[in-house]
Amino acid sequence: MATMKPSTLRIGYRYRPGRLASNYDAIVIGSGIGGLTTAAMLSDLGWRVCVLEQHYTAGGYTHSYERNGYEWDVGVHYIGDVGAETRTRKMFDYLTDGQLQWAPMNAEYDRFYIGNKVFNAVAGREEFRANLVRQFPNEEEAIDRYMALLRQVGGALAGFGMGRAIAPWMRSLATPYLKWKTPSFMFRKTYEVLSELTDDQDLIAVICGQWGDMGLPPKQSAFMVHAMIARHYLYGGFYPVGGSWRIADTIIPKIQKSGGEVFTYANVSRIVVEQGVVKGVEMADGHRIDCGCVISSAGVDNTFGHLLDEEVVKKAGYPPLIKKVRPSVGHLCLYIGLRHTADELGLPKTNFWIYPHNDYDRALADFVADENAPFPVVYISFPSAKDPEYLDRHPDTATIEIVAPAPYEQFEAWQGTTWGKRGADYEALKVKLSERLLGYLYDKLPQIEGKVDYHELSTPLSTEWFSAYRHGELYGLDHTPERLQQDWLTPRTRIDGLWLTGQDVLTCGVTGAMMAGMLTVTAMMGLRKISPLMQRINGQH
Ligand SMILES: Cc1cc2nc3c(=O)[nH]c(=O)nc-3n(C[C@H](O)[C@H](O)[C@H](O)COP(=O)(O)OP(=O)(O)OC[C@H]3O[C@@H](n4cnc5c(N)ncnc54)[C@H](O)[C@@H]3O)c2cc1C
């Protein structure tokens, strides 16, 4: 195999100890959207913030990379709720000073191929409902009850988030109110809730057709997260104009304005804690950065399992708690380049979700037991079709991304090997998997066959290598009902001066991790102090 050249699409400032300022008000570990949101809001409040990112480019899962004249996104295919003046849109506008634009996908933003049947998700609450009723005319009552449940979850989410942000003493006072505001079905399994509405397994499958957006099928996932995702995309899917790397690119100036910086190649090896109090971080090169405030956006597993000393974690009582959560599944992504434009190839602004049949849990279990079983889900996205500026950057080309789940265990044999040099057997496995994934693409879009110019496959080991998720996990912690009821999974930790943010604090998704960033700043500053800033953000037009 030819040696792969590293991507030259890089944002952020390369870390060197001599480039650090002498005094930071806060250190953020990880430059994903969670870390960047926290850093940008603190910077706006006048703090000087140092963001440390181990990767060669900033953005975490929102980063993009380019090779051979193509550009791909690794963890952003579509974002919901940004087509109108929603809280999500206002938050993005605030963080990026209005520099980030959004391009709508087709009204049919998701297409589900379930066995030999095809269904679409259609943008707009009424349109979404009407489309479901058209496809399941006998299930109108169940569909209306489902839509009502989505509304109820929507009403309860602010309380759930607030419960995570407030101080423990306040939380115990507020518990009866928060419990009253939080319907218990939010923490039941998705399938249990839906099967009380209908027996129609196809309808349940269509409603759960986006389960890949959180990585857990309906018999395992929490209904709350299902509902959050369904609501998030109810008004359609949108793509960040210019590619997903523009998200970090447009946020970083806000951090720099207060004297802060986002450093890349900045691998934190340890959070320094002395007598139960955070004192700073130690870098992989041995350099120590002193600071009494450290915010980890590197995930719960990294933070408690690797960055903190075992003794510190034990003393704070975390070990039994950490056993209650587990990493999410890994994934494969086939990154494809074509020497034709999306228009020439007829690529849609619609994501494809391909399922062998309507029992998603069984399909996943079958695949985990036998890696040669059909993929439980194959997701196909057409980023160059979604981005109105793609051709300006990469003329006469198009890109496609194909994602499928892949348990980390299937790749454990190559753990610890170097990216690009994992050996012939690993490459042979990748060829086999790539061919399988291409088969799904050609089956749905036969005109593509023979037109693929370039492709490369990432595995859970690539996720570990580039994004530092040690189990190659796709979405941080698994979104089980148990995880969502862990009241220690909050921005505030039991270690003085250490805060958490990012997808493990709230939920996965760019918006979930961004809102976690906002919650972390709320928890740090307190409701009263943060309120003028929140009013400013929500008052923007
Ligand atoms: C294949 C895929 C597709 C997805 N598609 C979508 C989508 O279409 N829409 C959507 O909304 N969401 C999507 N997501 C989910 C979304 O991208 C994530 O939930 C979100 O971006 C997570 O943000 P975060 O800030 O919590 O974490 P991350 O973005 O993972 O950031 C954490 C950062 O911490 C860094 N780090 C870890 N350890 C250290 C250390 N020791 N020192 C320094 N840095 C460290 C990592 O390198 C990483 O950059 C997708 C995810 C994947 C993987």
Side-chain angles (χ1 to χ4, degrees):
M1 190 201 143
T3 319
M4 286 204 282
K5 283 199 189 126
S7 166
T8 50
L9 174 52
R10 292 172 187 214
I11 52 171
Y13 189 38
R14 189 175 183 141
Y15 158 79
R16 306 239 187 265
R19 290 178 176 171
L20 294 165
S22 56
N23 57 329
Y24 288 109
D25 299 308
I27 288 173
V28 174
I29 308 173
S31 69
I33 184 71
L36 288 181
T37 302
T38 307
M41 290 182 73
L42 289 176
S43 301
D44 205 16
L45 293 167
W47 292 39
R48 174 182 272 203
V49 185
C50 173
V51 181
L52 299 168
E53 168 57 54
Q54 58 86 33
H55 197 4
Y56 60 63
T57 188
Y61 272 149
T62 68
H63 84 266
S64 311
Y65 76 99
E66 60 77 34
R67 205 166 357 258
N68 286 19
Y70 301 105
E71 179 190 312
W72 300 277
D73 308 313
V74 303
V76 179
H77 300 122
Y78 63 147
I79 306 245
D81 246 353
V82 288
E85 284 193 7
T86 58
R87 275 173 195 257
T88 302
R89 175 61 191 259
K90 286 179 178 182
M91 195 69 192
F92 275 116
D93 284 351
Y94 159 74
L95 291 172
T96 66
D97 274 334
Q99 294 303 301
L100 186 65
Q101 304 296 312
W102 298 95
M105 292 168 60
N106 288 350
E108 292 177 344
Y109 54 94
D110 273 331
R111 180 163 306 148
F112 311 118
Y113 296 90
I114 304 173
N116 53 12
K117 300 180 183 165
V118 185
F119 304 90
N120 290 302
V122 180
R125 181 184 293 276
E126 280 316 309
E127 293 81 351
F128 181 89
R129 177 198 171 276
N131 183 52
L132 275 184
V133 172
R134 201 162 36 245
Q135 292 173 102
F136 299 93
N138 298 329
E139 297 293 327
E140 186 164 2
E141 193 196 326
I143 292 165
D144 282 334
R145 285 173 63 202
Y146 170 68
M147 299 301 286
L149 291 186
L150 290 191
R151 242 192 316 272
Q152 242 180 302
V153 173
L157 286 176
F160 179 84
M162 210 35 73
R164 301 254 145 158
I166 55 183
W169 67 268
M170 225 192 256
R171 197 175 329 136
S172 42
L173 284 181
T175 296
Y177 173 76
L178 292 175
K179 273 210 168 131
W180 173 70
K181 286 286 285 178
T182 312
S184 57
F185 66 80
M186 278 173 51
F187 303 121
R188 291 179 64 203
K189 298 208 169 117
T190 307
Y191 185 82
E192 276 173 23
V193 175
L194 295 177
S195 58
E196 283 173 7
L197 305 180
T198 177
D199 293 329
D200 190 319
Q201 300 305 307
D202 276 345
L203 175 58
I204 292 179
V206 172
I207 285 176
C208 297
Q210 298 161 335
W211 77 258
D213 282 335
M214 68 162 126
L216 263 194
K219 286 180 185 155
Q220 295 186 53
S221 64
F223 184 76
M224 174 186 148
V225 185
H226 161 83
M228 282 177 75
I229 291 170
R231 283 173 49 81
H232 181 65
Y233 292 116
L234 210 47
Y235 293 92
F238 295 80
Y239 184 83
V241 174
S244 74
W245 63 276
R246 288 282 294 151
I247 297 176
D249 191 47
T250 49
I251 297 176
I252 290 174
K254 211 177 193 81
I255 298 166
Q256 291 169 328
K257 230 184 241 172
S258 291
E261 191 49 270
V262 177
F263 291 105
T264 54
Y265 293 96
N267 191 2
V268 175
S269 60
R270 182 170 164 253
I271 299 170
V272 183
V273 179
E274 291 167 7
Q275 276 94 45
V277 179
V278 162
K279 296 289 177 190
V281 298
E282 220 167 74
M283 306 300 289
D285 64 5
H287 187 80
R288 175 170 160 162
I289 310 175
D290 293 323
C291 189
C293 177
V294 172
I295 301 137
S296 176
S297 184
V300 160
D301 178 55
N302 274 325
T303 308
F304 295 105
H306 303 279
L307 292 171
L308 286 164
D309 291 349
E310 215 178 312
E311 267 318 294
V312 172
V313 176
K314 247 193 211 160
K315 217 166 165 193
Y318 280 109
L321 302 176
I322 287 162
K323 288 200 185 107
K324 297 183 179 172
V325 293
R326 59 173 203 229
S328 53
V329 70
H331 76 289
L332 305 172
C333 185
L334 190 68
Y335 298 94
I336 299 171
L338 307 104
R339 295 261 163 236
H340 296 268
T341 66
D343 272 354
E344 286 164 2
L345 295 165
L347 304 183
K349 293 183 208 174
T350 302
N351 306 315
F352 292 178
W353 298 86
I354 304 165
Y355 298 104
H357 49 73
N358 65 12
D359 187 344
Y360 300 156
D361 285 82
R362 179 162 60 85
L364 180 61
D366 288 348
F367 177 70
V368 171
D370 173 8
E371 62 196 56
N372 294 312
F375 283 111
V377 51
V378 171
Y379 170 86
I380 309 185
S381 171
F382 306 96
S384 66
K386 296 176 194 173
D387 180 3
E389 291 184 357
Y390 186 84
L391 289 176
D392 301 342
R393 303 193 302 287
H394 304 278
D396 305 319
T397 68
T399 53
I400 300 174
E401 289 152 2
I402 311 183
V403 181
Y408 184 76
E409 296 70 38
Q410 291 178 3
F411 297 86
E412 236 165 7
W414 295 277
Q415 194 177 30
T417 53
T418 301
W419 176 78
K421 296 178 186 153
R422 301 195 201 275
D425 47 354
Y426 178 76
E427 291 306 325
L429 175 61
K430 287 213 307 183
V431 169
K432 194 174 116 191
L433 291 168
S434 303
E435 278 165 9
R436 280 183 70 185
L437 292 172
L438 283 170
Y440 285 82
L441 174 67
Y442 299 151
D443 179 52
K444 298 301 172 228
L445 297 177
Q447 72 272 25
I448 305 297
E449 197 154 3
K451 303 240 169 59
V452 168
D453 167 55
Y454 177 78
H455 61 81
E456 63 182 60
L457 185 77
S458 76
T459 73
L461 295 181
S462 326
T463 309
E464 184 182 11
W465 184 263
F466 291 112
S467 301
Y469 285 101
R470 293 172 200 246
H471 311 274
E473 54 268 46
L474 172 64
Y475 293 129
L477 299 175
D478 238 351
H479 292 73
T480 58
E482 295 74 40
R483 173 234 162 126
L484 289 151
Q485 293 175 89
Q486 298 303 309
D487 58 9
W488 58 276
L489 272 181
T490 59
R492 184 186 309 271
T493 71
R494 297 173 175 189
I495 298 155
D496 204 7
L498 177 65
W499 303 85
L500 300 178
T501 197
Q503 60 186 351
D504 286 352
V505 165
L506 207 51
T507 65
C508 71
V510 172
T511 304
M514 175 175 76
M515 291 307 179
M518 183 271 286
L519 281 187
T520 300
V521 179
T522 304
M524 292 172 74
M525 306 306 295
L527 286 177
R528 201 168 333 133
K529 267 201 189 147
I530 199 69
S531 152
L533 176 57
M534 291 315 299
Q535 279 172 13
R536 178 148 63 85
I537 295 171
N538 291 322
Q540 299 169 107
H541 316 285

